Amino acid sequence: GINAEYGVATMERVLQRIQQNDPSLTVADLKLTDLRDQGSKNLAKALEQNTCLTSLLLGSCNVGDSEIKVLCEVLINNKHITSIELPFNSITNEGGKTLLELVEKNRKIIDLQLSGNSVDESIETKIFKAIKANRERGEKPILETR
């Protein structure tokens, strides 16, 4: 298996590959890296031009509501990422509402994990309803009428 190293060097290497749009990198595993403040801004910047990533693994990354806002501004227009894992971060209802807006506007997102955060069940329920709608929409062929 792949031996995953954690830390700043790994984060910088992953961000570089995201920014270079490395076609062999479809899953960005940044679990346990510190994405507070500048970290999330660097990730958002790297994601701007990327068309190869399909999954973001951001568990235990010190991601709070302000980081979610920064990331969602880029993710809202991303048509390739379908799965975002955010377990065990510092996301509250404010970030939950930002994520709800993301999954309602970006219909490509069909998987979002939020366990271990401080988001009310009422908001989580709305997020999962939107995710479910995205999944169902994705399964139906879109008929073009001209």
Side-chain angles (χ1 to χ4, degrees):
I2 295 164
N3 184 18
E5 308 160 32
Y6 295 105
V8 174
T10 302
M11 182 166 119
E12 283 177 5
R13 194 162 57 241
V14 172
L15 289 180
Q16 196 175 15
R17 289 178 69 196
I18 294 170
Q19 198 142 19
Q20 291 166 345
N21 209 15
D22 179 344
S24 68
L25 185 72
T26 57
V27 177
D29 186 349
L30 290 165
K31 287 191 295 286
L32 303 174
T33 58
D34 191 349
L35 291 178
R36 267 179 297 200
D37 306 325
Q38 198 56 48
S40 59
K41 289 177 184 149
N42 293 345
L43 175 56
K45 192 175 184 344
L47 285 168
E48 277 174 8
Q49 305 301 321
N50 188 287
T51 58
C52 299
L53 275 186
T54 58
S55 298
L56 282 177
L57 309 184
L58 307 177
S60 304
C61 288
N62 293 316
V63 171
D65 298 335
S66 58
E67 288 81 8
I68 287 296
K69 196 173 190 307
V70 167
L71 292 171
C72 285
E73 282 171 11
V74 174
L75 291 172
I76 212 150
N77 297 313
N78 186 300
K79 297 295 172 237
H80 306 277
I81 291 173
T82 57
S83 175
I84 305 166
E85 293 185 10
L86 289 160
F88 305 103
N89 280 293
S90 314
I91 304 163
T92 70
N93 291 340
E94 188 189 333
K97 286 173 185 163
T98 307
L99 287 165
L100 174 60
E101 191 181 331
L102 172 68
V103 295
E104 284 175 343
K105 289 187 176 167
N106 183 343
R107 294 173 171 177
K108 294 285 182 194
I109 297 170
I110 54 169
D111 186 29
L112 180 68
Q113 292 184 19
L114 271 179
S115 55
N117 284 287
S118 306
V119 179
D120 280 352
E121 208 175 310
S122 60
I123 297 169
E124 275 196 19
T125 302
K126 287 178 185 166
I127 291 170
F128 295 123
K129 276 186 183 157
I131 291 278
K132 190 171 181 282
N134 289 354
R135 281 185 189 151
E136 288 167 0
R137 200 177 279 113
E139 288 163 9
K140 293 186 189 105
I142 296 157
L143 299 172
E144 287 188 17
T145 50
R146 291 218 160 98

